[in-house]
Amino acid sequence: MSNSDNSAAEVASRNWFTRFLDTVEWLGNLLPHPVTLFALLATLMVFLSGLFGGLDVSVEDPRPAVVETVEVAELDATVERTHCPEGATGAPPDCEIRAVSLLNAEGLRKILGGLVSNFVNFAPLGVVLVAMLGVGVAEKSGLLSALVRGIVLSAPKHVVTVALVFAGVLSNTASEMGYVVLVPLGGAIFLALGRHPLAGMAAAFAGVSGGYSANLLLGTIDPLLAGITEEAAQLIDPAYEVYATANWFFMIISTFMITAIGSLVTIFVVEPKLGTYDDSNADPSVLDDSQMKPLTGRENKGLMVAGLAMLAVVGLIALMVVPEGGVLRDPAADAGNFLESSKPFFRSVVAWIFVFFLVTGFAYGRVVGTMKNDRDVIDGMSSAISTLGLYVVLVFFAAQFVAFFGWSNLGLILAVTGADFLQAINLTGPMVFVLFIIMCGIVNLSLGSASAQWAVTAPIFVPMLMFIGYSPEVIQAAYRIGDSTTNIITPMMSYFGLILAWATRYDKKFGIGTLIATMLPYSICFFIGWSLLFLLWVFGLGLPVGPGSPTYYPAP
């Protein structure tokens, strides 16, 4: 058959979904770099504020008036005074939210004067930097790599698929480690067991990326997203706090759900579809023997010592939190209300993430010889921070966009208008979250960064859904489902190219379309299973998504 005949047959075989994915990829490629995107959005926000401010656009403020107790020295008494909430004008009960123009002299002074403070006070910046200092030590010492290898390589053959997906979910605690270590390891393990190596890679990829928002432990993504959510929630409630533990309960139960679904899809869908492996198109060096080597005696001892160090950290936390007079308990709060009195602990979770990984990483490294002194610890920290250069640049422009969005009041106006629309069409029940999850998944196809996407969408949808009565913590949990489930089918995901490069080692003809088609069953099943779990957990059983996380927000 000629090349032209082959091309014609290839075009004819392309179904509507393949063409849809091609369109998504094309649209995604049209998007600028995320840093450029936020710079453009911040600039656009200035011009839109000028337009809507000039048109004197306003909405009625649904928030209750603020009541303050003020001491009057002349009367030697206290009086109560009411005023409109922050960002609103007028006097109660006729408060209005008006668009504020930044496209004038006063706006320019505010923009230039707030450029630095917007950046340094942006909540996700500091928490990620602090958490990564500890994670960097654990990664540099080899603890995280050894832990993943230990889980997968020690698993019995009949449960290796479950172990691979489970390890993938846990590995997302430590940034890119799962992509770099576990995905190629999954291919090597399946090949050694006589199974299709691409199925092993798919299982690991599904756990690492598709299960990105599930875990037994808190990772760097948790304080990052919580910081963005808090910034968005404070657009309507300046005192609202969102902790890194906001979705922890739901993350834990999601870990087992993702592990079960990922394993079943691998065994009953992906492996049968791939068929028997043909190594004629494989790279001769496809099997890296070093990956398949079991843990050495020293590495096993290092893991045991790291486990003891972990128990010591957990014990220290318990000593500070469990007793009523513990250091991390609020003495002014009701001691009988554990969650309320333990807020100092929840506020310090990022610091404990740092301590946890620092102590366990150093303990492991000390045994295996990768951490000999303070210089090795410092090297681990600095290497972790050096990987965040792009993130810091991204945060600078994202912080300006969020600040301008708040200053202009356009975020509040859009939130009130959107909430009114949802109420008008009577879409205020749990089903609103199904549509929200679908929307987040679609946006993720073209904007693969979890933090970048949430920084764009949170200032709109967090206030909007708060206005119809849902808490920021629940909104964030729903967002994470949509973001994670389509990670594995979008070429815009930052590690998609790396996964494709690993896959072509086993099959030189393996392309983007094949990778997407392989991962699509995981994406569909994760979306259905995770959405149902969310609705059951939150609304069916009435369980919180995290410690101290309410389901509802007292809507105005």
Side-chain angles (χ1 to χ4, degrees):
M1 186 182 292
S2 65
N3 289 336
S4 60
D5 291 337
N6 284 333
S7 299
E10 184 178 346
V11 171
S13 67
R14 297 167 68 82
N15 58 29
W16 68 268
F17 189 74
T18 304
R19 292 194 294 272
F20 165 73
L21 292 175
D22 288 342
T23 303
V24 170
E25 183 179 359
W26 177 74
L27 290 173
N29 287 330
L30 291 179
L31 286 175
H33 191 283
V35 172
T36 308
L37 179 63
F38 276 113
L40 292 173
L41 287 173
T43 304
L44 177 64
M45 202 51 55
V46 173
F47 284 101
L48 287 178
S49 72
L51 173 63
F52 290 109
L55 295 174
D56 198 27
V57 173
S58 65
V59 295
E60 182 181 344
D61 192 347
R63 297 174 294 177
V66 178
V67 180
E68 288 184 338
T69 302
V70 181
E71 291 187 7
V72 181
E74 295 82 358
L75 301 176
D76 192 25
T78 59
V79 297
E80 287 189 346
R81 292 179 179 175
T82 60
H83 61 83
C84 292
E86 185 178 348
T89 57
D94 300 317
C95 298
E96 288 188 327
I97 302 172
R98 294 185 176 277
V100 177
S101 175
L102 300 177
L103 201 61
N104 50 36
E106 183 180 351
L108 181 61
R109 288 192 291 270
K110 191 166 188 175
I111 290 171
L112 294 178
L115 209 65
V116 175
S117 59
N118 292 342
F119 176 50
V120 298
N121 294 328
F122 194 57
L125 176 63
V127 295
V128 170
L129 293 178
V130 171
M132 281 301 293
L133 289 173
V135 172
V137 175
E139 195 164 4
K140 188 78 171 179
S141 70
L143 169 62
L144 301 179
S145 176
L147 183 62
V148 168
R149 285 170 52 221
I151 292 173
V152 176
L153 294 177
S154 62
K157 290 184 179 181
H158 60 281
V159 295
V160 70
T161 306
V162 175
L164 196 57
V165 178
F166 181 69
V169 174
L170 295 186
S171 72
N172 61 47
T173 302
S175 189
E176 76 278 357
M177 193 269 295
Y179 297 103
V180 176
V181 176
L182 190 62
V183 174
L185 181 62
I189 290 172
F190 267 47
L191 184 63
L193 295 175
R195 300 169 66 180
H196 203 299
L198 294 178
M201 291 186 63
F205 186 28
V208 174
S209 197
Y212 192 64
S213 287
N215 214 313
L216 301 181
L217 304 173
L218 296 175
T220 53
I221 190 66
D222 299 294
L224 189 157
L225 294 181
I228 296 174
T229 305
E230 181 175 284
E231 294 267 350
Q234 289 177 354
L235 288 174
I236 65 171
D237 189 344
Y240 204 94
E241 291 182 285
V242 180
Y243 304 122
T245 56
N247 300 146
W248 199 2
F249 293 162
F250 188 65
M251 286 167 54
I252 291 173
I253 191 66
S254 296
T255 300
F256 301 104
M257 187 274 299
I258 288 294
T259 300
I261 293 179
S263 302
L264 292 173
V265 170
T266 302
I267 295 169
F268 295 107
V269 179
V270 173
E271 276 197 280
K273 180 179 179 296
L274 289 172
T276 304
Y277 178 57
D278 178 9
D279 62 3
S280 60
N281 290 315
D283 188 312
S285 61
V286 71
L287 182 59
D288 185 354
D289 291 331
S290 63
Q291 291 181 327
M292 293 297 298
K293 290 180 180 178
L295 296 178
T296 64
R298 179 174 289 187
E299 286 175 323
N300 279 316
K301 183 179 178 181
L303 288 176
M304 290 178 60
V305 173
L308 294 175
M310 178 192 72
L311 291 176
V313 173
V314 172
L316 180 61
I317 294 173
L319 188 63
M320 293 183 173
V321 176
V322 175
E324 288 190 4
V327 176
L328 294 180
R329 296 283 289 271
D330 185 355
D334 178 10
N337 188 334
F338 179 78
L339 292 176
E340 184 66 27
S341 63
S342 297
K343 280 190 174 181
F345 165 69
F346 293 122
R347 292 191 184 103
S348 65
V349 163
V350 176
W352 284 110
I353 291 175
F354 163 73
V355 172
F356 178 84
F357 284 106
L358 172 65
V359 172
T360 56
F362 182 76
Y364 175 85
R366 188 71 177 175
V367 173
V368 300
T370 54
M371 290 279 161
K372 298 182 177 64
N373 49 45
D374 60 317
R375 292 185 179 274
D376 294 323
V377 174
I378 294 169
D379 285 343
M381 291 181 176
S382 59
S383 64
I385 296 299
S386 68
T387 65
L388 296 177
L390 179 60
Y391 171 74
V392 172
V393 176
L394 179 91
V395 163
F396 174 79
F397 290 99
Q400 310 311 322
F401 163 70
V402 172
F404 298 169
F405 205 48
W407 291 346
S408 66
N409 277 346
L410 294 182
L412 281 174
I413 292 173
L414 187 58
V416 172
T417 305
D420 288 343
F421 173 73
L422 292 175
Q423 290 172 338
I425 63 174
N426 201 27
L427 187 62
T428 57
M431 286 306 294
V432 72
F433 283 101
V434 176
L435 297 178
F436 178 59
I437 291 170
I438 292 173
M439 184 217 69
C440 292
I442 292 174
V443 172
N444 189 55
L445 291 174
S446 296
L447 190 61
S449 168
S451 57
Q453 184 193 160
W454 194 224
V456 172
T457 55
I460 300 171
F461 290 99
V462 170
M464 185 186 299
L465 296 179
M466 286 175 71
F467 273 131
I468 62 173
Y470 296 106
S471 74
E473 292 86 350
V474 168
I475 301 166
Q476 177 182 284
Y479 159 74
R480 297 179 72 165
I481 295 172
D483 173 70
S484 295
T485 52
T486 54
N487 265 344
I488 49 182
I489 60 170
T490 172
M492 298 301 107
M493 200 271 292
S494 55
Y495 290 102
F496 197 87
L498 177 64
I499 303 303
L500 184 61
W502 285 119
T504 54
R505 295 179 63 216
Y506 293 100
D507 186 351
K508 294 177 181 178
K509 295 182 179 179
F510 199 86
I512 290 178
T514 313
L515 179 55
I516 292 174
T518 302
M519 302 309 300
L520 187 59
Y522 294 103
S523 187
I524 294 172
C525 293
F526 284 170
F527 169 77
I528 295 173
W530 221 340
S531 298
L532 291 175
L533 177 65
F534 174 79
L535 294 175
L536 175 65
W537 183 270
V538 176
F539 301 107
L541 301 176
L543 297 172
V545 292
S549 296
T551 298
Y552 299 101
Y553 178 79

